[in-house]
Amino acid sequence: MLQDEMIEAVVALDEERCIRIAKELLVKGYSNQEIASLLNEGVKKIGAAFAEGDLFLGDLIVSGMLYRSVMDLCPPSNSGSRSVLPFGRVVIGVAEDDIHDIGKDIIVSQLRAEGFEVIDLGVDVKSGRFIHAVETYRPDVLLICGMMNFTEPHMKETIRILAEKGLRDSVAVMVGGGVVSSNTLPYTGADAATQDPIETLHFCIDTVTGKKAGPTAHKDTHNTAPKMEEVDQ
């Protein structure tokens, strides 16, 4: 079946095969949502293999790029009629003055594979855009990414404005990327900080699960020590 072939192609990181199968699925009338669901299954398998140490960060990067390449084939109007309630909602973006988006794209693909609705603000995101997104979308989690050291003050400023506007308690904030060090968490005032994409995923899952179970504190949920080097573009 084409569906199984797509999942197998994603796990094999075979972009050419994925694109060929996606085109066949579109001709057969599959919706964007149905194709994304198949991609998600493959990406979840890759993430699990990475967590077990069977794959490398480069494999996660390729899976994120593959996901984006296939979804770029899908026409915007081909969304299908099914409405699926997301597991949770996440706003993500790369902090102001930084354009390194590979790490962000890995997280986006992993989150979508787990059923999250993800609002991706892109790169070079100013504090005002993060604030507007939190006010507009009311996410469970805000993820602010950064590769370069000069992004930390922007992260801190965004979190400060969230508090100033009375929004800080409504959203869990994690900062991540190559910028993260042992000083990042106390400096920015975030709830968690990491370089590890799987730890980021678990933070989002734990946050939403905690909300569904009842009021919980977001603080000190995860280790703040960097786990790996963020890969530059």
Side-chain angles (χ1 to χ4, degrees), residues 50-61:
F50 174 78
E52 292 294 324
D54 296 328
L55 292 178
F56 302 99
L57 181 59
D59 297 311
L60 280 181
I61 292 172

Side-chain angles (χ1 to χ4, degrees), residues 28 31 41 43 102 112 115 143 147 153-155 176 192 210 212 219 227 229:
K28 289 179 178 293
S31 70
E41 285 299 313
V43 170
I102 289 178
R112 286 176 175 159
L143 299 176
M147 180 70 184
H154 298 311
M155 294 173 172
K212 291 178 178 179
K219 299 286 184 183
K227 293 297 183 63
E229 293 296 325

